Every structure is written in C-alpha cells, then in structure tokens.
Amino acid sequence: MKKLESLFNPKSIAIVGASPKRGKLGNILAENIKISGWKGQIYPVNPKYAKNHAKYFASLQEIKKKVDLVLVAIPATAVSQALLEGATASPKISNFAVISSGFKEAGTEGKKLESELVEISEKYQLNILGPNCLGFINPKQKLNATFTSGNFKPGKVAIVSQSGALAVALLDWTESIGAGLSKVISIGNKSVVDESDVINYLAGDKDTHAIALYLEDIKSGGKFIEALTKLSGRKPVVVIKAGKNKLGQKAISSHTGSLAQDESIIEAAFKKFNLIQADNIPEFQDLIEFLSFTEIPRSGEIIVVTNAGGPGVLASDFIGKSEQLSLLELPTKVKNELKTLLPAGSSVENPIDILGDATPERYQGTLEILSKYLAKYPTLAILTPQSQTDPDRVAQVLVKSKKKIPVLLTSFLGGKKVSKAKLALKEKCISDFSSPEEALAAMEKILLFRNSQSDLKKRTGNSPKELSLKKQSSSIKIFDGALREKRHMLFWNEAEKIFNRYKIPLLKSTSFAALNDPRLKKVKFPCVLKTDDPKIAHRWDKKGVVLNISNFSEFKKAYLRIKKNTKSKNFLIQPMQKPGLELILGMKRDSSFGLVIIIGLGGTYAEIFRDRVIFIPPVTPKEILRKLRDLKMYPILKGYRGEKGYNLQEIANVILRIQQLASENPEISEIDINPFLIYNDGRKGQVLDAKVYLA
Amino acid sequence: MKKLESLFNPKSIAIVGASPKRGKLGNILAENIKISGWKGQIYPVNPKYAKNHAKYFASLQEIKKKVDLVLVAIPATAVSQALLEGATASPKISNFAVISSGFKEAGTEGKKLESELVEISEKYQLNILGPNCLGFINPKQKLNATFTSGNFKPGKVAIVSQSGALAVALLDWTESIGAGLSKVISIGNKSVVDESDVINYLAGDKDTHAIALYLEDIKSGGKFIEALTKLSGRKPVVVIKAGKNKLGQKAISSHTGSLAQDESIIEAAFKKFNLIQADNIPEFQDLIEFLSFTEIPRSGEIIVVTNAGGPGVLASDFIGKSEQLSLLELPTKVKNELKTLLPAGSSVENPIDILGDATPERYQGTLEILSKYLAKYPTLAILTPQSQTDPDRVAQVLVKSKKKIPVLLTSFLGGKKVSKAKLALKEKCISDFSSPEEALAAMEKILLFRNSQSDLKKRTGNSPKELSLKKQSSSIKIFDGALREKRHMLFWNEAEKIFNRYKIPLLKSTSFAALNDPRLKKVKFPCVLKTDDPKIAHRWDKKGVVLNISNFSEFKKAYLRIKKNTKSKNFLIQPMQKPGLELILGMKRDSSFGLVIIIGLGGTYAEIFRDRVIFIPPVTPKEILRKLRDLKMYPILKGYRGEKGYNLQEIANVILRIQQLASENPEISEIDINPFLIYNDGRKGQVLDAKVYLA
C-alpha cells in the first residue's frame, strides 16, 4: 500500500462518470468540488460527452497529464475497466475513490465484481477508497469530494466512517455547531484502503489531532494492531463500534455482506491501545465536540459552578461514581474571596452554588476569582434559565473566561430560553452539553485516555527467564500422531509433555485404561478420577469426574460409574488437592486478530460472573499486571479482608509461558485450562485440568 | 393531611407580599397569574400598600372571603405570622404555598423557622407547599402560580420537582417541544406537603396520566411506600434520584440541609413499586416526551425503518442486548409487498433499509404497507439527511402515519438540515430522539414498566404455615439481660433460642468458656472452633475462626490461638459441614423505610460481586421468588450445567420467617447471617453463623 498523501491531498482529479446533467452522481460530485472552492484541476471523463463537450475526455488514457485521484461514479460492472485504464494510462494513475455501489453489499454478483477490483489493485498497486462510499472531504484544501453538500471548515478532528449515511448526519451536525474537521473519510466496503491504512495516514497528517472512527468490523485484526502500535496513542482515537451482538451483526451482514467477528477480542484490542469508546451516537458526538473545542484536561479535579442546586447534585453524583473525576477541594483563599462576592445562602464549597437569582455579573465575578487562582483545573458551568439569569449574557461571560480557563465546559439546560446562548458558546469553541452528566461523561472518557497513556509507560513486573527452545521433533510427533488418529484433542500425557517443556505446572497425574493396571496399586488416597477422552470437552458436564475418593472400593465404583456415563476408555488419576483459588486460563487463535490469551475467575462462578480479561499478544509482564487490575476479583488476588494476597508474578509467568508455547507451536489451535489452582500460603500454583486442541 | 384538591385547583388566591413594584417576587407572582389567563379571584396582601391602594389588604384576616390558597412571598422570619393569620382568619384558610427561601436550606436559624412552620401546620391542620419552592402550575386551569414565566399548555404528564431550578429548565424545554403538562409542582423543602402527598393527590387527578419525579431524598420511606401501594402502578411514575453516592449527598446537604439516606434501600423501593428510573437529565426528558406524545406500547417487537445502514445496525445492537425488545420477524406477505415497492439493494428484513437515496415517497410507501398489516407494533423511523431525502417532507409523511401507527417514534439524525423537521414531528406529538439508541432506551424502560406490572399480578410460591406466636417473656428476658450487661449483640445460645421459635435452622453448636468444660470430651471431629464474643462483629477478619479441626490436640492449639488473637472468653464448637452453596441473609431497620431484608451470594465473593437483593416488607412468597431472579447467581439456584437446582421455596421460607421474627421483636435492630448454607441434594439448609444486634 502506497502512502495515501496524494489521494487525500490531490492537485488534479478525474471524474469517471462525469455528466452535464443535474442530479447525476458524476454531476453532483463535480458541483460539490467546485462549490467547495478547491483550486486544482478537474478532468471530466465520459465517452458519451467527449465528442460534443470540449473539456470532457473519452477515457482516463486520453488525459495524458498527471492525475492524482480518480473519482469513479459509474455502474459497478464498468468499474474494473476504468481502473485498468487508469493503471495503464501514461502517466500511471494510482489513486481511486469508487463511489459506485453494487459490490459486496449487493450479493453474489457484486462480491465477484469486488474481488476483481481487489485483484486489479494488487496487480497494479492501486490505492482504492470504497467502493460503495461517500468519498472524502479535505476542508483545509477546500475539497469536498463527496456527493453530500455543505460548508465545511478546517478543524482538529478527522471522521472516518464505514457508514456513509452516518457521516452525512455527522457532517450536518458539525456544521450546525460550527465545528471544523481535519478530514472526513468514508471508507465504504474498504475493499483495498481500510481503517488501518487510514489510521496510518492520519497518524502522520499534521492537521489531524484526533481521530473519530465508526466501524462495523475490523478488516484485518493484525493490520489494525500494527497501525495502532505505530500510532501508540499520540493522537486520541474515538471509536463507535456497531455490531456488538448477534442482532447487530445480522443487520451488518444484510447491509454490507461482512461476517461476524468476536466482539470480546475487538474490545480487548480497543482497550490495549487505549481507544476512547463511545457507546452511542450522542456520546460519539459529545466526544468529537470535546476534542474539537477543548484541549485534553491535565487533571480530573473539577470545579462546578451552578445557578441550580439539583443539576449540581446530579453532577456531584456523576463525579462521585467516576474513577477519573473528583471535585476539587477549593483553597480557603478562594472560598473567602467567593464569600465576599456571593450573597448569603450561596455555597462556596464545590459545587459552587451561586443561587437561582444569579445574574451574568455573578457568573462573571465567580469565574474571575476561579481564573485568577485555579485556571488550570477543568471547570463546568451549569445554567438554568431563571428569571434573573440572562443566558445570552452569561454565554458572553463564559466566552471571555475561556481565554483564561482552557478546559471550560458548559451545560445550559432548557429549551427556547437557552438555544441561542448554546449556539453562541459553540461558535466560540466552548463545548456545551445537553446535561451536566454528559459533559462529565465526555470528560471522564478523555481523562481515562490521558491517564492510561501514562499508565502504559510505567514499568512493572519481570519476565520469567526466556526459555530458549528449539523446535523438538517430539512435539511434532505428538501432533502427527493425534492427527493420524483423527484426534483434535490431546490426551493428558501428550499435553503434559508439551506443558513440561514450557514449565507450565501441570498436576502430576496417572493415565490408565483398565482396573487391572499395576500402577493402580500405588494410588494414594484421597484422589480424583476423571475420564481422559479426546471426544469429551467438558468432563464435568458429562459426569466424567469423581472427587475425593478415599479408598480402593470407592475408586472401583467411581471407575464403573464414569465408564457408564461417558463410555470412555482412558482415565486419569490425580491426587486430591487442598482448596485454593480457581482461575481459568486459555488461548485461542482468532481468524482476524490471531493469538489471544484469556484469564479470569474459575470454578462454579466462572460462567455466572464471567470475570475475565483478554490479552492480545505480544503481551509484556507490565501489561499483564496492569490488566489483572481490571478483574473484579482483583482485591482477592491482592489480599483481602485479612487474607494474604496471591503471587501475581506467578500468574504473569504462566501467561507469558502460554504465549511462548502458542507462538512456537502453531499446530495448537486452542488451550482451555480450568482450574489453574493458586495458593496464598507460599505453595506453587498447579494446573488441575487442561485441554489442548489441534487445528 | 387534607386533600390537596383545592390547593392545586384554587378559585381564589391571596398573595402575601404582593407589590406594585416590578421585579419584586410578589409582583412577579401576580403578573404570572394574570398573564397565564386564570379566571379566579386574586387578593393582594401587603400592609405597606393597603392604605393607598384600594385592592390591597393589610392582612389575610381582612379579606373575610373564602381564600383557597395563599402564596407567601415575604422574608422567612415573617412567614409564621402570615400562616397564623390565615389559620385564624374567618373563614379559615388552609392552603399555603411558601415561595420564600431562608429556611432549612439556610442553616441553623432557618431550620428553627421551618420547625415553627411545621408546628403551626400541625396545630391548625394546614397544607403547606414549600417553603423555598417555585410554586406550581395548573395548565388546564390556566394558572401559573410560580415566579417563572412561560406559556404552558395542558398535557398528560405531571412534573414534581424537589429542585425549582430543574423545574424551570424542564418547563422551558417542554415549551420548546410543544409538550403540555398536567401539573408542575415544586415541592421545595417539603416541610409539610411532601412527594408522597403529591403522589396521593396525582393518583386521583384525572388529568394526570403519568408522573415525573425529581427527588433528592425521600421524606418518609413509610409514607412513600403507602402512597405507591395505593397507586399500585395505575399510572407510570418516572423518577430521577439525585444524591446516589456520598459526593452527591454532600452536595445535597449543603444546598438543602437534608441527611443522607441508604440508596440501596431507596432503589429497592423504586423497584418494588415498578418506578421507571431515569439515569440522567436527557433520559428523564426522553421519558417525559415519550409519555406525553406516545401511548404505552403493548409489544416489545419493534419495526425499524431506516435510510441509513449504520444507524440501523446501532438500533439492532441496542435491541439485541435488551431483554424487553426484539426485532419483529416480518411476515412473508409484508416482505413481498416491500420488495415490489423498494429498489434492488434495499433490505426487506427488519431493520427495513430503504437506502440512502430514499425519497419521502419511499418512506410513505413503506409506512403504508406497515400500517396496513403491522400497525399495532411499535415502529422506529430513522432518517439521515442525504441529498435525495427531504427531511421536512418525510416528517409530513410520518405525521400522517402516526394516525394509523399509535407507537411511532423517530430519530432524525443531523443538524441544520433536520432541525425544522424534528420540531414539526414534536408539534404533531411524535416523539423524536437524538439517536435511535435513545428512542429504544426510552421504549425499553417503559416496556419494563408495562411488563413488570403484569408480572406483579402472577401468583407463585406458597407461604410457610404462619407461626402464631405470642410474645414470650423468655425473649424479653434475653433482651433485657443483654442490655443490662450493655451488650448490643447476643451470644450464640441467646440467638439460638429466638431463632428456634421461628424455625430458622441455626446449626446446633456448643458454647463454652474454658478448656476444662466437661462437654469438650464429647466433641466430634472434624469440627470448627469460633470466638463467641459480642464485641466482635466479624469473627473471620479478627482471626477468630479455625476450620476443619481433626483431633483434640489440634483443638487445643486452635483454642489458644483464637484466645490470643481475640482476647475472647466465650467460644463455640460446630460440626464441620459438607460444602454447599453459601448465601448471606440479613435484616436491618432503616430510619426512613423501616424493616428491610437482604439476601445474596455469600462466601469469599460476597463483597466482590455484591450479588444481592433487598426486600421491603411486607413481602410475599411470590415477590421473593420473582426477586430472586434478579440475582446474577440465579442460574446456580435454578440448576446449572448439569447440577441440580436448589429449593427456592426453602429460601423463601427463611426470608418470610426472618420477616416475622423482625416484625414481632422490635428490640432486634439487625441480623447478619453468613453463611446460610444450602444444598441441592435434598439436605436441609443451615445457618452456620449469625449475629443478632439489639437497638
């Protein structure tokens, strides 16, 4: 993939499917480019008009000049031909935005057309945006290369959308609040240029300070991770992900033809790279507005100024439940100055309640005191339209204060009485929110981004000594043997050999088949008997486990019972273990993201509380130790109510070894460990049960 | 408390503190009443103007005519005098709305003034709204008895607010969307008339179809429960509760002087009576708009029509994760008709995607088909402002459809291009939301209300046979004995006597003090040794428990260790129990709500997952069985992954007996049981540990 610089900053554009007829897509595109004020060269291409219209070309090949970008607006079936013409033109044309629909989203025929397009792109090294997209907008270049109209000004945030329709709505909204944008890129079916390519491009785009993504799927998990690794949080990325469950994914596949992905892994990737996740459209808008108008706060200690007690309480409630936010304790000096200014009955504690009869002058006086001493703290000004409060004049006061208080948010509550003031605030780059809670929600997410960035840099935890292993023929033998028997699950003693090499502490067990096995004479009680059957994934559910067997007569009964329940031929004896803390631990290979590792609460409550975290390798000890904190059970791991804590380094080491095992043995598709039993009395943890699956 | 009918529907109003001077509170009140068009009689009262202004009265006593309501707008210190004058006037005046501030919210002096006001109310049986309130609005009577201006039309929803400022903002907002209201009541400090009185009044007010409450505290839990029991869900009640955590409660106490309450109990009361809880101001507004414009849906099977794939997916995501909502499976007939109407590439699966180039006519055709066959299903129409879509004309189409489809919601996304259309929809009583997710969130909460109503009526579960107990002198002796020793916690054998009477299955244990106690010779191993010390609430945390003691030498060691750790003099021996499922169970007396009972997950994870439910008595077996379903651990109780279920009736019976015990023994302030160990193999559950506290 070549750099996308010239695609998004073209000096010359050809429009294939150009038309003098109003309402035709090619005509709308050309009109929008002209109206937006772009200064480059346009080449209309349409064989139908080439004869009678002097400026029209019959094909891309006839232009004979450097064309930075081709906008393609012809029927889907003709698109490949146009690409070929461009690719073989002289000079060669490399950048295309295919606006046309009728591809993957339109069924079998369209899918075929889209594959052709991808093949041509690969053969000729073309950058293709779309197909089935809106195009893009580069406000700084005054270039609107889409079929939607509007008056777009430059700004700090780039919008990248997999839904053209949503981009249209967002554009209309940003225009209405007077916010500019650095780029708007509709990626459509993203057959060639996908979200990862665009992130790579925007990472280096100096006009873009933040990226807002609407995504329905991740084209390639691996490429996405690479792009985000390179970006490494230098610019905040806001993402709204659609298709979070089966119903949403069904809706996606019916309108784009994409396949469902594992949402929990996508979520883990978002978290790993510290993306700011919006839960719905209004929150997405709030975050875009915040990043457009306000700088990233350097503190979560907030000051609230309000003329309304109730909304001040709701703000306090939100702050009270947030881990990122707190109410700034006001210095005595500030409180004293506020007391001099404000009438009796006001509260000079934070939230500062300047009362229902607050005039614009009272807002002004309060904000002047705050800007004198506490300008660096984020400040939220709340207003309700009481009779003595003139919202428009209070807005003017706030606009002046913004010059001194860089993180100043507002929430003017009401309807008609505040609508003009709300727009006036936004026009002067103050983020105004529908409610105090929404202002604080946006602030909280942006602070989480900020604080996690520094968190990522902290060094904690040691790696276990690297095991330098050469590929051993013994492993290959085990895999080959199993596959020859058409087994995709290993027997216990096979898994044991592999685990031992990676020092994963599997409980020493005895495998046997029949009751007359001589080793049974040496069994120590109490013990556990289990089926060891490669067809049985969940021994417990199939009644293939008996615990706490105390003598040989019980053992025989257990053997016969399990044999009856499971029809198994292979069994496993384990010493009964002292109770400890049960964890689940596992790995699998995701079709998009590759290797992922999971750890969490095991035992009875594993599926009830689903308290687990997913790691996307490569994972470092410090990342493991940081992510373990996301578990609800973390207090137990750390030591809780007088109980000793567990050895977190031991947990991290096992995860790192699973990572190494999985990396070095691509034949293994999945490992399920449950439980990994750990202790807080110095004893070492042990894997009591494990399933190893082959691809 | 007399009925509030004449307070909120007065035919004559006196204004104490009336003034001819513009800007004075008394003047604003009179002006607002006149402007609003009220047809009743106004009596201005102010000694200052009585001499020179013909219509002014020097005091309430001089009016000598029937006065239904007095609005009081004079300094706080003078209010009591005005109340007394009214109470002793002839004819007597009973209804007052005290607008004046300077009471409880203003500190010690104000608190005293407010107590005076309450005393006078009690002595003379007065209804007093406020003090420190906005007043109220009765739009049907054309009466604006507040100091905020506006043009209010009659509607279905009553707003009741403990924050005057929030009420002002909500009024401005309802006016801007053209929504009417049945009443707006600002309850202020609610010294006399509180939320429960107002609910009682609105329950019988035929103009009010739904109630929207903003509350910062519950004046009296008992009274609140009584009011809601009487209302019994006949009208939906939406509530936004401020002060949900310490920070919010601190903000409340600084602006109203109220004390913090136990939020988990308030939450339990809201749930018990099926209140619709809004989490923030925009959601509160969405619910008010929904209840104002749209009838309560009778089905959660939704149809989505959209010209934008992305927002359609976000809608599907929301529906996919909701327990109340689903996407209606469209009948083949409907799909076929849609296919005839819609262009290729459209989706006739629900969400119905009518594509980005949808015209108003395409919306119209689609909605006509839906209204012909599926008019009874809730329908959500989504629009983004694409070039071919005229939002204003689509709004007209929807307004027509609303006549046939009673539950029709819309979400027009964008800014300038859709703002006129959004207002046009609301003016014609179509609820339009900022996003599809918000439309669905409102619908979900209202459906939860509707579905829980019918749920409440279902009969399940049997009561245990009522224990008819007479107050026994033995219990009184136990309580007296403990209190004489200044013990507020019972010893185990004291608790045992009381539990036995109520058939609460406490594990048979042996209490002893010294190692030479002869009963120790009879101890069976394995056993458990515990401290039984009324000063130790958490035996485990204080290292006062040793489990699984297998012989007398271990027993002696354990005894000495516990004695050293706890300095205790009393001990308890229990037989070691087979592992089972550990529950916590308890009761306490809340200062506002009285007796509450709690049950949930016990054991190690009790405090980690806090998986519990709170019951507000009187609780019936069916209510217990229904609420147990709210526990995350419910699948385990029901039987899970091949394991047998537990006896839910056994759990319900213990809760009912705790309820009876607590009702008949008001001396007991709190009971903490952890664990109540239950089994799924037929064995009966047992209480292994219990603390009983006296008031």
Side-chain angles (χ1 to χ4, degrees), chain A residues 535-578:
Chain A
K535 277 185 230 108
I536 294 176
H538 301 285
R539 309 188 219 259
W540 192 265
D541 294 3
K542 296 283 175 194
K543 300 187 188 299
V545 182
V546 176
L547 299 176
N548 222 352
I549 299 169
S550 35
N551 54 51
F552 196 73
S553 120
E554 276 182 37
F555 185 89
K556 250 164 69 178
K557 272 188 219 155
Y559 174 87
L560 295 170
R561 204 181 335 144
I562 293 179
K563 198 160 178 133
K564 194 179 151 205
N565 292 342
T566 63
K567 323 279 178 228
S568 296
K569 287 175 184 159
N570 295 284
F571 300 85
L572 210 56
I573 305 167
Q574 297 182 327
M576 186 74 196
Q577 296 299 298
K578 204 190 138 180

Side-chain angles (χ1 to χ4, degrees), chain A residues 172 243-245 317 415 607 640, chain B residues 172 243-245 317 415 607 640:
Chain A
D172 187 30
K244 290 209 169 187
N245 54 48
D317 269 345
E607 295 302 320
Y640 177 68
Chain B
D172 187 30
K244 290 208 169 189
N245 53 49
D317 270 345
E607 295 301 321
Y640 177 71

Side-chain angles (χ1 to χ4, degrees), chain B residues 125-139:
Chain B
Q125 303 263 311
L126 308 182
N127 298 320
I128 301 175
L129 189 68
N132 185 29
C133 78
L134 192 67
F136 69 90
I137 301 170
N138 182 337

Side-chain angles (χ1 to χ4, degrees), chain A residues 149 165 168 172 214 243-245 280-282 308 310 317 385-386 415 417 437-438 540 601 605 607 640-641 643, chain B residues 149 165 168 172 214 243-245 280-282 308 310 317 385-386 415 417 437-438 540-541 601 605 607 640-641 643:
Chain A
S149 62
V168 167
D172 187 30
Y214 167 85
K244 290 209 169 187
N245 54 48
N280 50 47
I281 297 173
D317 269 345
Q386 319 268 14
K417 290 176 184 170
E437 298 101 312
E438 285 165 306
W540 192 265
L601 174 70
Y605 297 112
E607 295 302 320
Y640 177 68
R641 301 197 78 174
E643 297 286 321
Chain B
S149 62
V168 167
D172 187 30
Y214 167 85
K244 290 208 169 189
N245 53 49
N280 50 47
I281 297 173
D317 270 345
Q386 320 268 14
K417 290 175 182 169
E437 298 101 313
E438 284 165 305
W540 191 266
D541 295 3
L601 174 70
Y605 298 112
E607 295 301 321
Y640 177 71
R641 301 196 78 176
E643 296 287 322

Side-chain angles (χ1 to χ4, degrees), chain B residues 1-172:
Chain B
M1 171 78 44
K2 277 200 197 155
K3 288 215 174 143
L4 299 174
E5 193 60 33
S6 59
L7 195 164
F8 295 121
N9 293 279
K11 294 193 176 60
S12 52
I13 298 176
I15 302 174
V16 173
S19 167
K21 286 192 188 157
R22 282 182 64 88
K24 286 273 172 191
L25 189 56
N27 180 279
I28 296 173
L29 286 168
E31 283 305 307
N32 281 344
I33 293 173
K34 280 175 209 159
I35 292 167
S36 59
W38 182 65
K39 299 294 180 207
Q41 182 66 45
I42 302 180
Y43 302 105
V45 178
N46 195 331
K48 206 163 149 190
Y49 303 112
K51 278 177 201 160
N52 302 326
H53 288 67
K55 48 178 196 165
Y56 275 75
F57 294 85
S59 86
L60 288 171
Q61 309 234 336
E62 293 189 5
I63 299 176
K64 315 272 188 202
K65 293 209 181 117
K66 190 162 187 298
V67 172
D68 285 337
L69 169 66
V70 181
L71 296 181
V72 183
I74 51 178
T77 46
V79 170
S80 286
Q81 183 54 33
L83 296 176
L84 282 172
E85 281 175 14
T88 57
S90 170
K92 178 192 167 190
I93 306 174
S94 298
N95 295 323
F96 297 81
V98 181
I99 314 296
S100 322
S101 58
F103 290 88
K104 196 177 71 173
E105 82 285 2
T108 325
E109 267 313 300
K111 237 175 228 169
K112 216 184 287 173
L113 293 173
E114 190 155 327
S115 319
E116 274 175 46
L117 183 153
V118 174
E119 276 166 35
I120 294 168
S121 139
E122 280 166 6
K123 182 166 173 194
Y124 294 97
Q125 303 263 311
L126 308 182
N127 298 320
I128 301 175
L129 189 68
N132 185 29
C133 78
L134 192 67
F136 69 90
I137 301 170
N138 182 337
K140 203 179 175 189
Q141 265 217 9
K142 300 195 176 204
L143 173 59
N144 174 9
T146 74
F147 56 85
T148 193
S149 62
N151 182 17
F152 310 112
K153 59 182 196 184
K156 289 156 68 181
V157 180
I159 291 179
V160 180
S161 179
Q162 197 172 341
S163 159
L166 186 68
V168 167
L170 290 171
L171 280 164
D172 187 30

Side-chain angles (χ1 to χ4, degrees), chain B residues 409-554:
Chain B
L409 310 178
T410 62
S411 176
F412 279 31
L413 294 160
K416 281 184 180 169
K417 290 175 182 169
V418 296
S419 60
K420 224 181 97 198
K422 286 174 91 76
L423 276 181
L425 289 165
K426 291 175 196 262
E427 263 160 32
K428 298 293 181 181
C429 294
I430 293 182
S431 308
D432 177 79
F433 296 85
S434 308
S435 69
E437 298 101 313
E438 284 165 305
L440 294 165
M443 174 112 72
E444 181 183 43
K445 293 212 164 175
I446 285 171
L447 271 162
L448 176 63
F449 160 76
R450 186 188 176 278
N451 296 339
S452 306
Q453 281 302 109
S454 57
D455 213 20
L456 280 171
K457 283 169 201 151
K458 265 184 226 152
R459 292 212 135 265
T460 41
N462 305 309
S463 260
K465 273 192 195 124
E466 286 269 337
L467 305 165
S468 63
L469 299 169
K470 275 179 269 168
K471 191 81 182 173
Q472 284 199 347
S473 54
S474 62
S475 307
I476 302 290
K477 260 188 214 157
I478 291 171
F479 301 145
D480 286 351
L483 294 174
R484 246 195 321 273
E485 295 170 21
K486 296 195 173 150
R487 269 194 293 123
H488 285 269
M489 193 174 109
L490 299 188
F491 281 116
W492 182 273
N493 52 11
E494 294 170 329
E496 193 175 33
K497 281 177 198 150
I498 293 165
F499 276 33
N500 283 347
R501 293 192 61 216
Y502 291 89
K503 300 194 176 162
I504 296 164
L506 197 64
L507 178 64
K508 188 79 194 140
S509 313
T510 309
S511 302
F512 76 100
L515 271 185
N516 59 5
D517 190 307
R519 286 171 305 168
L520 296 192
K521 285 184 186 146
K522 289 182 201 154
V523 171
K524 286 196 182 116
F525 297 102
C527 77
V528 175
L529 183 65
K530 293 178 175 177
T531 165
D532 184 17
D533 186 333
K535 275 186 232 109
I536 295 176
H538 300 286
R539 312 188 217 259
W540 191 266
D541 295 3
K542 297 283 175 193
K543 301 190 189 296
V545 183
V546 177
L547 299 177
N548 224 351
I549 299 169
S550 33
N551 54 51
F552 197 73
S553 119
E554 276 182 36

